[in-house]
Amino acid sequence: MTNPAIAVRAGARVSIEVINAHPDTAHGLVITASAVTSGMPMMTAQPAFPGSALWFPGNPAAAGMHAGTLTFTADSPGTYRYLCAVPGHAQKGMTGTFTVN
Ligand SMILES: [Cu+2]
């Protein structure tokens, strides 16, 4: 799946493992309440929930990939957006919807 629409129940404990298969490009994942994907998301995107941001998956693994996990509680119903926080990446399509209901 590419940029799947994600939906969870309100109050759910959410854990997302992020794997960056680009050995030489940083990426991140932020679930944000902001609908804005222009400008510089890294500077403007605020996490919608405490812990719902993984800025730059680091710690290169033996395979050369970068991985990280973000964990948070989706405690407020609403329609959110996830995006890659690296400038320019969300505009290139690294974004999708995250719904809490
Ligand atoms: Cu990216």
Side-chain angles (χ1 to χ4, degrees):
M1 288 188 290
T2 301
N3 298 345
I6 301 171
V8 302
R9 291 188 187 281
R13 188 77 171 154
V14 180
S15 183
I16 301 173
E17 182 181 17
V18 182
I19 299 173
N20 177 5
H22 291 161
D24 57 358
T25 303
H27 294 286
L29 180 65
V30 180
I31 295 168
T32 175
S34 172
V36 177
T37 58
S38 60
M40 293 183 65
M42 185 174 71
M43 307 304 288
T44 60
Q46 295 298 316
F49 311 100
S52 72
L54 185 65
W55 296 101
F56 299 109
N59 301 324
M65 296 198 295
H66 302 179
T69 301
L70 66 165
T71 303
F72 60 94
T73 301
D75 54 7
S76 297
T79 300
Y80 303 89
R81 173 160 295 280
Y82 64 82
L83 53 83
C84 177
V86 175
H89 287 197
Q91 292 93 318
K92 291 179 182 173
M94 296 182 200
T95 183
T97 58
F98 183 88
T99 305
V100 180
N101 50 31

